[in-house]
């Protein structure tokens, strides 16, 4: 899909504007707003022309800073590995909880990076997130990608409004108990 819809001229222009090397930022021709980081070993940021039309320059800069964080940390590879582990070990329910919390944590960390690296702080990032939500949310994205508006939107907005808020990261008792029982049983069988 990327090769077929990529706009090479716009990709070069925006890559220069945001200080990316070759093939690190791709602009695709799509009306839907898309902002995500894809790729395992050579990740890249993908933005759509619909997103470029929708956001103000400062909002776009905040979104790019958010995605840059995912790019540097190689979050798509980590998300894929977690998803693979959860699928392979479906009988350990704590892995599903851990995957959900990890998705939330990387989005919160990327938001904090974007806030710290932009002049307007949380205002532009929150504005961009709200615009995406008004449009019906982001376009459907590949499972192994880190997308700007696909995880824990309510928590992210709360943290933008109240940076001192501390969400609970405590695992659920039932999933933890069942996971421990499964692991004990597996060890006993070996």
């Amino acid at each position: 899909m990327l090769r077929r819809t990529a706009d090479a001229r716009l990709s070069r222009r925006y890559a220069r504007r945001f200080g990316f090397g070759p093939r690190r930022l791709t602009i695709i021709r799509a009306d839907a707003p898309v902002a995500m980081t894809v790729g395992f070993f050579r990740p890249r940021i993908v933005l759509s022309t619909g997103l470029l039309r929708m956001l103000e320059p400062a909002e776009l800069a905040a979104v790019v800073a958010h995605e840059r964080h995912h790019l540097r940390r190689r979050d798509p590879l980590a998300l894929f590995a977690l998803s693979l582990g959860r699928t392979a070990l479906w009988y350990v329910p704590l892995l599903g909880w851990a995957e959900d919390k990890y998705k939330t944590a990387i989005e919160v960390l990327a938001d904090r990076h974007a806030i710290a690296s932009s002049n307007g702080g949380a205002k532009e990032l929150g504005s961009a997130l709200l615009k995406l939500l008004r449009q019906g949310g982001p376009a459907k994205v590949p499972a192994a990608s880190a997308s700007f508006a696909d995880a824990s939107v309510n928590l992210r907005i709360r943290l933008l409004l109240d940076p001192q808020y501390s969400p609970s990261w405590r695992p659920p008792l039932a999933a933890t108990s069942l996971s421990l029982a499964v692991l004990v049983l597996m060890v006993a069988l070996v």
Side-chain angles (χ1 to χ4, degrees):
M1 174 192 145
L2 287 181
R3 285 194 178 108
R4 196 174 66 240
T5 61
D7 186 315
R9 184 185 57 78
L10 276 178
S11 296
R12 284 190 301 274
R13 183 172 131 203
Y14 279 93
R16 277 193 308 273
R17 176 177 169 189
F18 290 110
F20 287 103
R23 293 185 289 281
R24 286 300 209 183
L25 185 135
T26 300
I27 306 295
I28 59 170
R29 291 179 305 277
D31 291 332
V34 174
M36 63 183 168
T37 302
V38 299
F40 298 140
F41 303 111
R42 282 188 261 170
R44 73 177 56 199
I45 294 172
V46 177
L47 306 174
S48 69
T49 52
L51 182 82
L52 300 179
R53 284 189 301 272
M54 184 174 65
L55 299 180
E56 298 296 321
E59 294 166 338
L60 180 60
V63 170
V64 170
H66 174 102
E67 293 302 326
R68 185 185 302 264
H69 185 77
H70 290 310
L71 181 84
R72 287 183 177 152
R73 289 179 36 96
R74 298 185 182 274
D75 285 334
L77 180 59
L79 288 170
F80 176 72
L82 271 172
S83 177
L84 193 62
R86 180 188 48 91
T87 302
L89 301 171
W90 56 268
Y91 46 85
V92 181
L94 195 57
L95 292 177
W97 173 87
E99 182 184 17
D100 290 342
K101 290 298 180 182
Y102 183 79
K103 286 178 181 179
T104 300
I106 65 171
E107 291 304 320
V108 168
L109 290 172
D111 286 350
R112 288 183 178 162
H113 171 78
I115 290 167
S117 64
S118 69
N119 294 334
K123 180 182 172 200
E124 281 76 21
L125 188 68
S127 178
L129 191 54
L130 289 174
K131 283 182 179 180
L132 274 168
L133 292 174
R134 278 191 213 122
Q135 291 291 321
K140 296 296 179 204
V141 297
S145 67
S147 176
F148 178 69
D150 71 341
S152 314
V153 174
N154 289 338
L155 175 63
R156 291 172 63 199
I157 290 172
R158 180 158 186 191
L159 286 168
L160 288 171
L161 295 172
D162 180 10
Q164 304 307 316
Y165 173 70
S166 180
S168 172
W169 300 100
R170 182 176 297 144
L173 183 61
T176 303
S177 301
L178 184 56
S179 296
L180 287 173
V182 167
L183 292 175
V184 167
L185 182 62
M186 288 174 59
V187 168
L189 292 174
V190 174

